[in-house]
Amino acid sequence: MVKNIEESTTILLQKIKEKIGSPVSVDVVVATLESLGIKSENVQEDFGYKNSWELATYIFQELTVNVKSLIKNNKQLDQESSIDEKPKKIALNAYLFFKQYFLSTSYLLAFAIQLTSIIAYGFSIYIYTGFNHVQSTVVVLGIVIGMIISGGFIQVIGNQVSKHFYLKDFRLVEEMTFYLLKKGTLFIVSCIALLFLVNLALPFYPVKTALLISSYAFWVAMLFLVFAPLHVIRNRKIILLATIVATLTCLPLTDNTFFNIYQLHFLGLFVAIATVIIFLIIYFKLKKGHHSSSKIKIHKGAIFYNNLHPFIYGILINIFFFIDRIIAWSGTEVGIFFMPIYYEKDYEIGMDISIVFFLLLAGILEYGNISLFNLLNTYKNKTTLVNLKSYKRKVRNLYIKNLLLIFIASLPIYFIILYILYGSWGYNHFFIEPLKGINIKVANIGVIGYLFLCCGMLNSSYLLSMKKQKEVLLILSFSCIINITSGLILSRLFSYEDSVYGMLIASVAFTFLSFKENIKVYKNIDYYATL
């Protein structure tokens, strides 16, 4: 019996090695076991381990830490041989950087389409330049609420679906995608209903206004929710397609008196969402022949338990994004009696310009993740106790290089922002009302804040992958508190736009604290890399 168990384990080890080589984490091994049809309740009898997690931990250690990790599959051997020569390695890294950067930022073409539509026609699928301040408040609050309540499920989709996509188990990718989209929709509806009921009990806004805010929140949240799987399955171009289809559907109707602007916005958002859903259905139908033969069922109860930390992180990071705006818009210099949070155009213009900087810089985050973990995996496979010190140094240096890359890349991107602010074909060329001093002040401080926020987000992504989720949530929660307190103090003591300094201070704190935690991790990377 013992001999049979050992033989079965050896065969299983070989199968997993051939399928994924050296795994990135224990979670990947667990997902692979599921794809092979191995049930947790049968593990004790077939392999002599208590459950799937214990078996996966053993396999992970065998394929990464122990001597057997020196035996690699053909794909890994090819990958290692391709970077043996230093010049080739530099050229390959440069190629991978630009390729990954443009892939990561390709969805910004959709943003460019929206901006072009606003400049040419004053209309996009959720913006209209003809709105007054009250109407703009409705739209902006709907967008803020929608992005916050969808943030948790966006992170869960990215975390959960990517595991199965990595294994090319498209049956589980499809099942998981639509399951999480359904649950995400239910969560969004529940949150909006709760907020609406709270407003009925404590009437911050008139009922009609609250209904419009709720409607925008729902459609915007659904838009970002359905976009999430496109990032995982590497089809960001569909974001551009959905935006073009929605914009072309609505633009001809802007002169039609039958539809008001609110209805056109909802129609455009619906068309964009429907376009993505139709694509996902067709995509998975075309992948039917690539489905894994596994018949394992998703343990739906465990999904949310295992993804609780990413879910909270997704909500918190979006809250962090909007704290400074909410504080600025709720100041006594801005607010009006019947609207405690009231849209202020000058502050928002400055932040909109700085968000361009963030979106362009954030494309480096994905490259930073992929490059570090690819090289981390390569060094890990070659590491023994003899050269452990060298291994730690190389991994730490990679981490520092990726942080420095963000600062280096920020310089050319900042020149783009300067051209928008001061260039002959910048902001003032396309808009009737020229930029004011307050717009430029907010934009410049916002740029510095977003630079540090990108660093903090890169740090956090590394910590999350090293199973330091609680530490990340504590750091981010503390940063949100700093954002609120410093923003309130500065904006109330001086001027409302000084809430942007609160975001800057909080971003610096977020970066510093997460950097400090990362240094602790990389001192013991041999331990954390095997978790």
Side-chain angles (χ1 to χ4, degrees):
M1 180 69 179
V2 174
K3 186 177 179 181
N4 290 338
I5 287 176
E6 288 180 356
E7 189 177 329
S8 299
T9 306
T10 303
I11 293 170
L12 178 64
L13 190 68
Q14 184 63 27
K15 279 185 180 179
I16 292 178
K17 181 180 76 69
E18 289 173 355
K19 189 165 187 178
I20 63 172
S22 180
V24 177
S25 67
V26 177
D27 287 333
V28 172
V29 181
V30 172
T32 309
L33 291 173
E34 289 180 356
S35 71
L36 293 172
I38 295 170
K39 297 181 180 179
S40 188
E41 55 265 30
N42 297 332
V43 167
Q44 175 79 42
E45 182 181 346
D46 295 340
F47 303 100
Y49 290 88
K50 290 181 182 179
N51 50 48
S52 294
W53 182 262
E54 189 175 293
L55 174 61
T57 302
Y58 163 75
I59 293 171
F60 180 81
Q61 290 173 344
E62 289 295 297
L63 293 177
T64 55
V65 179
N66 297 340
V67 179
K68 288 182 183 179
S69 67
L70 298 175
I71 303 171
K72 306 172 181 68
N73 62 17
N74 293 331
K75 186 177 179 181
Q76 287 176 300
L77 290 170
D78 291 341
Q79 182 185 17
E80 288 179 12
S81 63
S82 67
I83 59 173
D84 282 341
E85 298 177 27
K86 194 170 183 179
K88 287 184 179 180
K89 185 177 178 180
I90 294 171
L92 178 63
N93 284 338
Y95 167 75
L96 289 175
F97 169 75
F98 287 108
K99 178 184 177 183
Q100 193 58 53
Y101 179 78
F102 287 115
L103 284 174
S104 300
T105 56
S106 58
Y107 69 93
L108 292 181
L109 290 171
F111 175 79
I113 292 292
Q114 292 292 285
L115 185 60
T116 303
S117 179
I118 292 167
I119 292 170
Y121 304 102
F123 176 89
S124 76
I125 58 174
Y126 49 77
I127 293 172
Y128 180 58
T129 56
F131 277 156
N132 59 36
H133 277 209
V134 174
Q135 291 170 316
S136 297
T137 300
V138 168
V139 177
V140 169
L141 280 180
I143 293 171
V144 170
I145 293 169
M147 290 186 70
I148 290 173
I149 62 178
S150 63
F153 267 91
I154 289 171
Q155 287 290 322
V156 172
I157 289 171
N159 186 56
Q160 192 67 35
V161 176
S162 60
K163 295 175 184 176
H164 303 294
F165 185 79
Y166 172 78
L167 297 170
K168 299 190 183 301
D169 191 339
F170 291 102
R171 183 189 69 82
L172 284 178
V173 172
E174 178 183 9
E175 190 175 343
M176 187 67 70
T177 297
F178 287 112
Y179 172 74
L180 290 175
L181 287 178
K182 288 176 185 176
K183 290 298 179 182
T185 302
L186 181 61
F187 178 79
I188 288 167
V189 171
S190 300
C191 287
I192 292 172
L194 179 62
L195 290 172
F196 185 77
L197 290 174
V198 168
N199 189 76
L200 287 178
L202 302 169
F204 296 108
Y205 294 91
V207 174
K208 287 184 179 179
T209 303
L211 277 172
L212 280 172
I213 292 172
S214 300
S215 300
Y216 273 100
F218 171 76
W219 288 112
V220 170
M222 287 302 301
L223 181 70
F224 285 103
L225 182 69
V226 299
F227 280 170
L230 298 176
H231 293 276
V232 179
I233 63 174
R234 301 171 187 173
N235 271 281
R236 293 183 177 94
K237 56 184 175 289
I238 304 303
I239 297 176
L240 174 62
L241 175 65
T243 305
I244 291 173
V245 171
T247 304
L248 292 178
T249 301
C250 294
L251 275 179
L253 300 174
T254 52
D255 294 329
N256 191 323
T257 55
F258 184 77
F259 294 102
N260 62 43
I261 296 298
Y262 296 128
Q263 291 168 336
L264 285 179
H265 278 168
F266 300 151
L267 174 63
L269 291 165
F270 170 77
V271 170
I273 293 164
T275 302
V276 175
I277 295 296
I278 291 168
F279 167 78
L280 288 173
I281 292 170
I282 295 171
Y283 174 82
F284 287 119
K285 278 188 176 180
L286 294 175
K287 291 291 183 181
K288 287 289 184 184
H290 300 278
H291 279 187
S292 170
S293 58
S294 69
K295 296 182 179 180
I296 201 74
K297 290 186 177 180
I298 297 172
H299 298 289
K300 295 173 181 176
I303 290 173
F304 297 103
Y305 175 79
N306 293 332
N307 289 280
L308 179 61
H309 293 111
F311 177 81
I312 297 172
Y313 175 82
I315 292 176
L316 277 179
I317 196 68
N318 280 356
I319 289 174
F320 185 96
F321 265 105
F322 295 113
I323 286 173
D324 62 290
R325 287 176 170 86
I326 299 301
I327 291 173
W329 296 341
S330 61
T332 53
E333 300 171 58
V334 176
I336 56 178
F337 178 73
F338 63 92
M339 283 193 174
I341 298 172
Y342 187 68
Y343 172 77
E344 205 290 314
K345 183 175 67 174
D346 288 333
Y347 189 88
E348 183 58 25
I349 288 172
M351 291 308 292
D352 283 347
I353 293 171
S354 63
I355 203 75
V356 174
F357 173 86
F358 172 80
L359 292 173
L360 290 172
L361 191 60
I364 295 172
L365 298 182
E366 192 167 341
Y367 167 78
N369 283 325
I370 291 172
S371 65
L372 181 68
F373 288 115
N374 280 347
L375 292 172
L376 178 76
N377 200 41
T378 302
Y379 287 135
K380 181 173 64 178
N381 291 335
K382 295 177 179 178
T383 300
T384 61
L385 291 174
V386 177
N387 59 1
L388 183 59
K389 188 179 289 187
S390 172
Y391 165 65
K392 289 182 179 181
R393 186 180 67 254
K394 286 176 180 177
V395 172
R396 186 171 61 250
N397 288 344
L398 282 169
Y399 164 63
I400 299 298
K401 283 178 184 177
N402 281 337
L403 271 182
L404 289 175
L405 183 61
I406 290 179
F407 283 94
I408 293 168
S410 68
L411 292 175
I413 295 174
Y414 182 59
F415 284 124
I416 295 174
I417 301 303
L418 287 177
Y419 189 83
I420 293 173
L421 294 174
Y422 303 109
S424 56
W425 284 77
Y427 181 94
N428 291 341
H429 179 82
F430 294 102
F431 295 94
I432 297 172
E433 188 175 344
L435 287 173
K436 304 174 185 175
I438 187 174
N439 307 138
I440 296 171
K441 171 187 173 181
V442 171
N444 279 304
I445 302 302
V447 162
I448 302 170
Y450 283 138
L451 169 61
F452 283 99
L453 181 58
C454 280
C455 293
M457 290 175 69
L458 183 68
N459 289 337
S460 297
S461 66
Y462 293 158
L463 291 172
L464 287 169
S465 65
M466 298 294 178
K467 305 299 180 186
K468 301 286 282 184
Q469 298 99 328
K470 290 181 181 179
E471 287 78 2
V472 171
L473 294 181
L474 284 172
I475 291 169
L476 184 53
S477 299
F478 182 65
S479 301
C480 285
I481 293 169
I482 292 175
N483 200 345
I484 294 168
T485 52
S486 57
L488 278 172
I489 291 169
L490 292 168
S491 64
R492 300 313 185 253
L493 283 179
F494 302 103
S495 182
Y496 74 93
E497 76 272 10
D498 289 329
S499 66
V500 72
Y501 286 107
M503 188 271 285
L504 170 59
I505 294 167
S507 296
V508 172
F510 183 35
T511 297
F512 174 76
L513 293 172
S514 56
F515 175 78
K516 187 178 176 182
E517 193 64 37
N518 265 286
I519 294 301
K520 288 181 186 177
V521 168
Y522 289 112
K523 284 180 179 178
N524 299 286
I525 190 65
D526 53 314
Y527 168 73
Y528 288 108
T530 60
L531 288 178

